[in-house]
Amino acid sequence: MSDSRAALRYAKAVLAFAVEKKAANAVETDMRSIVATISESKELRNMLQSPIIKEETKKESLAAIFKGSSEITLGLLGTLASNKRTALLNEVALKYIILNEDLKGEGVAHVTTAVPLTAELEKKVLRQVAQLTGNEVTIQNKVDESIIGGFVLRVGDLQYDASIANKLNNIKREFTNSL
């Protein structure tokens, strides 16, 4: 939990600095590149998590991998290495992207359903989310049959679980607690 809060603090600090330098969108592009690179490379994930590899080595490797990045992004990489927090890089990048989208009034609503959303239902969800958050969002639909029915909606840090699986779990919990 504290790692998540630490990642959020780093992301907020980088965003504030990037906004001040009028480079928030360029840094967001870098952060998207970092997330994509980390997700594609098991070796990079292992290096970032490794307590054996020296932070200076990690810093040099990250600087080489992301050498075309902005000075702000390179500064973040150096700061994370200096503070022995390179394991947080992916989470910091993800949180930065979310924070910058919120700042721009954009966002992504992640909707998990048992079956793909229809166009009509997608429009209804977009209207409701815009009404709740006041922001325009785009929808990313993930199909997960294990939720049985209903949906799980996640916008930023907010999550609403209206899935059948969640309701069944709640009933099961109530039943076992009443025995």
Side-chain angles (χ1 to χ4, degrees):
M1 183 63 108
S2 64
D3 283 351
S4 182
R5 287 197 308 254
L8 183 61
R9 285 193 302 267
Y10 279 108
K12 284 181 176 178
V14 171
L15 179 61
F17 188 62
V19 166
E20 181 182 315
K21 297 293 183 186
K22 298 184 182 351
N25 290 334
V27 174
E28 181 179 344
T29 302
D30 293 344
M31 295 300 161
R32 289 185 186 281
S33 171
I34 288 170
V35 169
T37 305
I38 291 173
S39 70
E40 292 170 3
S41 174
K42 184 178 182 185
E43 292 83 12
L44 180 57
R45 287 192 303 273
N46 290 340
M47 180 197 72
L48 292 173
Q49 300 292 330
S50 176
I52 298 169
I53 300 172
K54 293 184 173 140
E55 292 299 323
E56 190 60 35
T57 304
K58 291 180 185 181
K59 180 179 178 179
E60 291 168 3
S61 299
L62 290 171
I65 293 168
F66 301 110
K67 69 179 170 210
S69 299
S70 69
E71 288 298 316
I72 296 170
T73 303
L74 295 174
L76 170 66
L77 299 175
T79 301
L80 289 173
S82 298
N83 295 337
K84 296 181 170 48
R85 296 290 211 155
T86 53
L88 293 178
L89 179 58
N90 192 56
E91 195 171 351
V92 171
L94 288 169
K95 293 201 182 294
Y96 179 93
I97 293 166
I98 291 168
L99 290 170
N100 195 43
E101 285 175 344
D102 287 345
L103 186 67
K104 293 187 294 188
E106 299 172 356
V108 178
H110 299 275
V111 181
T112 305
T113 55
V115 294
L117 285 176
T118 64
E120 183 180 324
L121 194 54
E122 191 172 315
K123 287 178 187 174
K124 285 182 182 178
V125 171
L126 281 171
R127 276 196 303 267
Q128 285 298 110
V129 171
Q131 195 173 28
L132 289 171
T133 64
N135 293 337
E136 291 298 315
V137 297
T138 57
I139 288 191
Q140 278 190 345
N141 182 217
K142 177 183 172 192
V143 177
D144 181 0
E145 294 175 1
S146 70
I147 69 168
I148 304 170
F151 64 93
V152 178
L153 173 66
R154 189 170 50 84
V155 181
D157 291 339
L158 304 172
Q159 180 169 315
Y160 178 70
D161 191 340
S163 65
I164 302 296
N166 182 50
K167 291 178 182 177
L168 289 172
N169 283 335
N170 289 339
I171 292 169
K172 179 181 174 184
R173 202 173 308 120
E174 284 179 27
F175 183 69
T176 54
N177 288 340
S178 67
L179 295 177

